[in-house]
Every structure is written in structure tokens, then in C-alpha cells.
């Protein structure tokens, strides 16, 4: 197969040095996707929570790939000029409403009757407040988004791989190590499943589950009790941070043991670019590369429950006298126009807008990883360009990557088998 690559630019080292020298304290970020209308499923009940003051984020050094490169002469011209922005007016496909068990609320909150419960839309589940430099993600500070590629993708790091073999089909900065935000929760889910803890066991949200680092919002108030299974579903489909943290806290040995298990699992899966510091993705010390995230998604997709939970369009959660509407953070799931087997989105200021999906495109199962898109619109447009490219039968292994120092693009199969 023909392999197209883009040469590195000498200016890349300067950009990378700039990123590594910048403290993270001024780079506040959040990890959420604003909810949009979509089909919902009935669920257990819970209780809300007061906000807490934001704590100063730790100073972290990001590992990123070199940036800025010139386009390869062999890059297919037709693919290079493909422009396919998402249509924000596209209709939302309807889906059947799922039904879930009822969770118990805290002792101080009365149980709501389904007849009299009011329905509240869920705000952005992972929005952090505080000092920030909007748009200043690690990838953008390193200039990774300026690396040209045939599809003119706006994401800083991209990998499209065959879902069965892991062989790369298209890449851009796939080896760049960046914060991954809530894509972290795929590993949270895998470790939880490996522990074989009962999904119907109730767990309770406590003060310990509040986000002290970024003060991200949550509808799960202290005292809320819900089942482990419901917490896992909300963490995957709607990036509910307190749910993810509570899952880790109820793990044998607590959060510290859980995070250690996440890193052991990463090593077992061969995710050599990956490190986790917390189970939610709020910490920008949670870092990985597009190639590692593709492997992580392939591992998660082997579990039918994780596939189902991550692709649920919506969920209704009774909380006291209210009913919360949780919607999938991925608009492509809500629209129903893609055949998606597994997905996870994520966003922080440091990480940018991320998504990983295992989907069927053009009759082929592929994994698509997009890291550090500027916004949700550009992330969606990148996904649509890739779908068009795969559906038109273009894959010939196009590696327009700007990788770690000393690395060069390789032939098909050599990266996927790693």
C-alpha cells in the first residue's frame, strides 16, 4: 500500500519548547459537552449538589509531538480538498426510550412519584470555571493543528484505524502525547468491569466526589444514591464526573488503588504513551496519544455493556421530585445517522475537543480518534470528512503525521500491531 507522509519543519522544535515551558496554572479547562435534544431513557433517582470554589490547577508538563510540516507531493488532490462541514440543522433521529431501575435519593430528600416529577434538562456536566485562556490547548500551543494533511482536518491529532486489526488507515500527529480529558472514562469503565463489582449495588455520592480542582458542575448532589451500573452509564454517555469518581472511590482500596489499576491496565494493553492521574479526565496529567486511544477503544468495544452504555442517546434519572434528562454528549449518537458501536467525547481547555468512536463506515468497521479540535463544530466536520473519505473507498494508508522526535511514518500494520 502507498504511504503518504509529511516532512517535519525545523520550526516545530521551537513551538514544542514553548508549550513545555508554559505553566498550566493559567490554562484552566473544563470537560463537557452541552446537551442537545435527543431521545431519553428512564432511570433511577438521585439528589443535587452545591457548588464548590475552584482550586488552582497543578502545574503540568505536556509531552507533545513536533509541529508544522509541508504537505506531501503524493497526497491525493481530491481528498485534500474535501470540505464537508456538519449541517447543524440536520434532523435528530428518534430512538426508543430506555427504561432503568429507580435509584434511591438521600434520606433528606423525598422519593418522587413518576407522575408528579418535573423534568429538568441537564446543563453541561463538566464545565469548569476560573481563570482560563480559551482555545489555548497544549496541541494548539505546540502548533500541531497547523500540520497540513490531505483531508484538511482541523483536529491536532488524528488516527483512523481498522477496528479488527488496528492497522492505521489515516494519521496526523498520531504519536503526539496530549491531555485527553474525558476519553479517560473508557479506561475507568474497563477497570471497573475487570473488578467484577456488582452493577446493581448502590453507591452514594459524597463530598469526596466533588471536583476540587476545576469546580466542574454536576447534577448528582452529595447524598445521592444510585446503582453502580447507572453511575457507569452516566459516566460513559454523558461524562458525569461525580459518577466516575464515585465508581473509583467504591473500588477496593479507593481512588488511589483505582488509578494504579488504570495505569497497570494501560501497560497491559501496550499503551506506552498513556498515563492516568484521576478517573474522570479533569486532570490534564491524564495524557495519551491518538494511537493509544485507538487501542483503548478497541479494548473497550469488546465489552457489549460498554458499547451499549456509551451509545445510549438519553437517560431519565428521577431525583427527589424532579427527573433529570441526561443526553449523550456525542451529537452523532443523538442524530442516529452514524452506525456507532462505541464512543466517548471529552473536552478541557488544555485538551481541546476530543472524540473516539468505533463505527461502521462504508461497510468497514473503523476506529476514529480526533484530538484537540477547536470546537464541537470542527470536530464534527472532521468526523464527516473522514466518513466520506472511508465511504468513497479512499483508504490507502495516509500518514500525514508529525510524530515524536526520531520517529517516522511506517508502513501499514507496524503501528497497529504494537
Amino acid at each position: 500500500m502507498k504511504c503518504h507522509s509529511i516532512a517535519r519543519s525545523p520550526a516545530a522544535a521551537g513551538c514544542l519548547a514553548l508549550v513545555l515551558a508554559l505553566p498550566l496554572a493559567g490554562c484552566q479547562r473544563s470537560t463537557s459537552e452541552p446537551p442537545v435534544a435527543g431521545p431519553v431513557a428512564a432511570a433511577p433517582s438521585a439528589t443535587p449538589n452545591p457548588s464548590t470554589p475552584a482550586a488552582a490547577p497543578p502545574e503540568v508538563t505536556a509531552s507533545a509531538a513536533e509541529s508544522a510540516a509541508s504537505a506531501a507531493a503524493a497526497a491525493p488532490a481530491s481528498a485534500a480538498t474535501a470540505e464537508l462541514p456538519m449541517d447543524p440543522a440536520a434532523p435528530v433521529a428518534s430512538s426508543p426510550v430506555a427504561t432503568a431501575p429507580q435509584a434511591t435519593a438521600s434520606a433528606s430528600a423525598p422519593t418522587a412519584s413518576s407522575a408528579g416529577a418535573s423534568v429538568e434538562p441537564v446543563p453541561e456536566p463538566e464545565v469548569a470555571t476560573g481563570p482560563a485562556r480559551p482555545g489555548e490547548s497544549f496541541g494548539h500551543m505546540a502548533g500541531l493543528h497547523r500540520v497540513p494533511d490531505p483531508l484538511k482536518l482541523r483536529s491536532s491529532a488524528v488516527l483512523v484505524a481498522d477496528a479488527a486489526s488496528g492497522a492505521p488507515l489515516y494519521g496526523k500527529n498520531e504519536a503526539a502525547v496530549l491531555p485527553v480529558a474525558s476519553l479517560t472514562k473508557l479506561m475507568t469503565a474497563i477497570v471497573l468491569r475487570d473488578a467484577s463489582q456488582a452493577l446493581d449495588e448502590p453507591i452514594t455520592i459524597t463530598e469526596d466526589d466533588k471536583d476540587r480542582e476545576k469546580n466542574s458542575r454536576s447534577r448528582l448532589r452529595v447524598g445521592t444514591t444510585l446503582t453502580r451500573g447507572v453511575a457507569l452509564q452516566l459516566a460513559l454517555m454523558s461524562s458525569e464526573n461525580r459518577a466516575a469518581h464515585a465508581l473509583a472511590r467504591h473500588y477496593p482500596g479507593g481512588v488511589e488503588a483505582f488509578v494504579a489499576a488504570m495505569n497497570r491496565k494501560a501497560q497491559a494493553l501496550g499503551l506506552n504513551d498513556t498515563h492516568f492521574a484521576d478517573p474522570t479526565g479533569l486532570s490534564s496529567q491524564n495524557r495519551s496519544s491518538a494511537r493509544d486511544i485507538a487501542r483503548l477503544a478497541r479494548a473497550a468495544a469488546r465489552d457489549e455493556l460498554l458499547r451499549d452504555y456509551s451509545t445510549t442517546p438519553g437517560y431519565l434519572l428521577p431525583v427527589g421530585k424532579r427527573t433529570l434528562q441526561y443526553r449523550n454528549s456525542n451529537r452523532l449518537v443523538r442524530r442516529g445517522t452514524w452506525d456507532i458501536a462505541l464512543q466517548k467525547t471529552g473536552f478541557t481547555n488544555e485538551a481541546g475537543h476530543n472524540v473516539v468512536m468505533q463505527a461502521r463506515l462504508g461497510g468497514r468497521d473503523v476506529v476514529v480518534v480526533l484530538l484537540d479540535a477547536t470546537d464541537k463544530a470542527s470536530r464534527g466536520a472532521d468526523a464527516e470528512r473522514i466518513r466520506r473519505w472511508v465511504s468513497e473507498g479512499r483508504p490507502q494508508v495516509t500518514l500525514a503525521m508529525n510524530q515524536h522526535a526520531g520517529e517516522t511514518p511506517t508502513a501499514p500494520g507496524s503501528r497497529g500491531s504494537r
Side-chain angles (χ1 to χ4, degrees), residues 6-67:
I6 290 182
R8 295 187 193 84
S9 163
C15 287
L16 182 56
L18 173 63
V19 173
L20 297 180
L22 286 174
L24 189 59
C27 194
Q28 178 92 3
R29 55 81 181 84
S30 69
T31 53
S32 81
E33 305 292 330
V36 182
V40 290
S45 75
T47 355
N49 214 334
S51 60
T52 41
E59 185 167 318
V60 182
T61 299
S63 169
E66 301 173 354
S67 71

Side-chain angles (χ1 to χ4, degrees), residues 87-358:
D87 176 12
V92 177
S94 60
S95 303
V97 173
T99 307
Q102 174 143 5
T104 54
S106 101
S108 60
T111 303
S113 67
S114 56
S118 61
V119 177
E120 284 191 15
V122 176
E124 302 181 7
E126 298 174 277
V127 176
T129 60
R133 283 188 286 180
E136 285 292 298
S137 65
F138 283 3
H140 277 65
M141 284 190 286
L144 298 181
H145 60 299
R146 291 193 293 268
V147 173
D149 68 282
L151 293 185
K152 295 185 177 180
L153 302 177
R154 296 182 181 180
S155 299
S156 291
V158 178
L159 184 66
V160 182
D162 182 82
S165 68
L169 304 174
Y170 192 97
K172 171 185 175 182
N173 297 323
E174 68 166 14
V177 178
L178 299 166
V180 292
S182 284
L183 302 192
T184 294
K185 293 183 177 80
L186 284 181
M187 182 60 84
T188 301
I190 289 175
V191 169
L192 177 71
R193 293 288 281 164
D194 283 352
S196 299
Q197 293 179 285
L199 295 180
D200 59 354
E201 181 180 347
I203 63 176
T204 300
I205 304 299
T206 71
E207 290 283 343
D208 291 336
D209 300 317
K210 289 183 178 180
D211 170 24
R212 307 290 183 182
E213 181 180 351
K214 299 299 179 185
N215 196 32
S216 60
R217 295 182 300 189
S218 173
R219 302 300 290 282
L220 297 180
R221 296 180 182 175
V222 172
T224 298
T225 299
L226 64 169
T227 66
R228 181 177 282 109
V230 170
L232 176 60
Q233 184 162 12
L234 295 182
L236 287 175
M237 63 164 280
S238 199
S239 264
E240 171 53 64
N241 285 322
R242 288 184 187 174
H245 192 273
L247 290 171
R249 189 171 48 77
H250 284 83
Y251 181 84
V255 175
E256 184 177 351
F258 191 91
V259 173
M262 293 172 71
N263 286 310
R264 286 195 302 271
K265 187 67 175 183
Q267 289 301 306
L269 293 174
L271 310 185
N272 298 324
D273 301 329
T274 301
H275 173 77
F276 297 106
D278 88 308
T280 66
L282 285 167
S283 172
S284 53
Q285 295 184 58
N286 288 15
R287 58 184 186 268
S288 190
S289 62
R291 63 185 178 188
D292 273 11
I293 291 297
R295 295 188 189 106
L296 176 60
R298 290 175 61 220
R302 298 187 190 113
D303 189 325
E304 182 179 1
L305 184 74
L306 302 189
R307 295 198 304 269
D308 290 345
Y309 278 7
S310 73
T311 56
T312 303
Y315 200 80
L316 290 178
L317 180 65
V319 181
K321 296 182 177 180
R322 302 165 299 148
T323 299
L324 303 180
Q325 289 187 355
Y326 282 92
R327 290 184 168 85
N328 200 294
S329 58
N330 190 334
R331 72 170 71 180
L332 299 179
V333 169
R334 299 193 305 267
R335 286 182 173 180
T337 55
W338 280 55
D339 184 1
I340 300 174
L342 176 124
Q343 69 80 38
K344 188 70 195 79
T345 62
F347 168 71
T348 67
N349 284 342
E350 295 94 335
H353 290 263
N354 302 334
V355 69
V356 59
M357 299 181 287
Q358 180 165 312

